[in-house]
Amino acid sequence: NFARGELRAVRSATLTAPNLFGTVQVTKLATLGALASEKDLVVEFDDAEVLSRLEEKQLELDQIDEQVKKAQADLAIRDNQDQVELLRARYGVRRAELEVKRNELISAIDAKKNQLTLEESKRRLLQLESDIKSRREQAQAELAVLREKTNKAKLELNREKQRLAQVKLLAPMSGLVAVKQNRSTVMMFGMSLPDIREGDQVQPGMPVADILALS
């Protein structure tokens, strides 16, 4: 007895083109009917654009890191200067308070001067404390912006690393390679679709090859 039909593998796996956020061009492709062992390279795509973006993102991240280090160093220096200025201002208030305590022993004019000096010293101290608080808040806000930029740059860098890891499609199991047709090819009426070949450009998510289990 004879029967017409189609012979198919019980188990098979389809390898699809990744989204490289740019051109997806086949640079290496196993031949039709080739035997591939598990984790063998079956398809490889051009990684030039991904590598270029990866280098740009790494450079951008390095630059932001330098900006963060400079901002932190500037903040530390400014804090040290502010502490010195605060000590001087507090000492000025303390000295003016001591002079006011002597007011009973000096003339009314000098006593008035001492009182005015004390008030001015206190005003300067309050103004300095307010300025220091404002400077710190501004510096912390600028650091927060830079840290947000750092997180964004790291996220984008990791995305490019993930894309780079997708340029090589490995066989998930041992089996025969069945190359798919290039459905992104513009065809004339009546022509059949050609198989995907090295050098072809394909669309992200498009099936490129099947691995047919020998069992």
Side-chain angles (χ1 to χ4, degrees), residues 2-152:
F2 297 92
R4 292 181 179 275
E6 186 178 346
L7 185 63
R8 291 186 179 181
V10 175
R11 290 177 60 231
S12 66
T14 301
L15 303 180
T16 58
N19 184 1
L20 302 181
F21 206 64
T23 305
V24 185
Q25 184 175 23
V26 179
T27 54
K28 288 183 182 178
L29 179 62
T31 56
L32 177 66
L35 177 61
S37 298
E38 186 177 352
K39 295 185 179 179
D40 276 356
L41 178 66
V42 179
V43 191
E44 186 173 2
F45 302 93
D46 186 11
D47 60 2
E49 290 182 16
V50 180
L51 286 173
S52 178
R53 291 197 305 269
L54 191 62
E55 190 175 330
E56 287 176 7
K57 297 302 179 184
Q58 184 62 63
L59 181 61
E60 182 183 342
L61 182 59
D62 291 343
Q63 289 172 341
I64 296 171
D65 282 342
E66 287 301 316
Q67 290 174 4
V68 170
K69 288 175 185 176
K70 184 180 182 302
Q72 289 173 332
D74 290 345
L75 180 59
I77 292 170
R78 184 73 250 185
D79 274 347
N80 288 335
Q81 292 172 343
D82 286 344
Q83 290 306 313
V84 172
E85 288 185 34
L86 271 177
L87 285 173
R88 285 176 181 165
R90 285 168 183 158
Y91 176 72
V93 172
R94 181 58 181 157
R95 184 173 57 187
E97 287 173 342
L98 291 174
E99 289 296 326
V100 167
K101 287 182 178 180
R102 295 177 58 249
N103 278 358
E104 294 178 2
L105 307 175
I106 58 178
S107 67
I109 294 175
D110 288 337
K112 183 64 175 176
K113 285 181 180 178
N114 286 344
Q115 188 62 41
L116 290 173
T117 299
L118 176 58
E119 290 172 3
E120 177 62 17
S121 297
K122 286 182 176 180
R123 187 194 66 76
R124 285 179 180 173
L125 178 59
L126 285 173
Q127 185 62 50
L128 181 60
E129 288 173 341
S130 176
D131 290 346
I132 288 172
K133 183 182 178 183
S134 295
R135 278 198 294 268
R136 279 181 180 168
E137 287 175 351
Q138 183 179 352
Q140 292 294 347
E142 289 172 357
L143 272 172
V145 169
L146 286 173
R147 290 192 180 104
E148 185 61 32
K149 283 185 177 180
T150 299
N151 292 336
K152 183 182 177 184

Side-chain angles (χ1 to χ4, degrees), residues 8-13 38 172-176 210-215:
R8 291 186 179 181
V10 175
R11 290 177 60 231
S12 66
E38 186 177 352
M173 60 184 180
S174 296
L176 296 177
D210 284 337
I211 305 298
L212 310 177
L214 294 174
S215 60

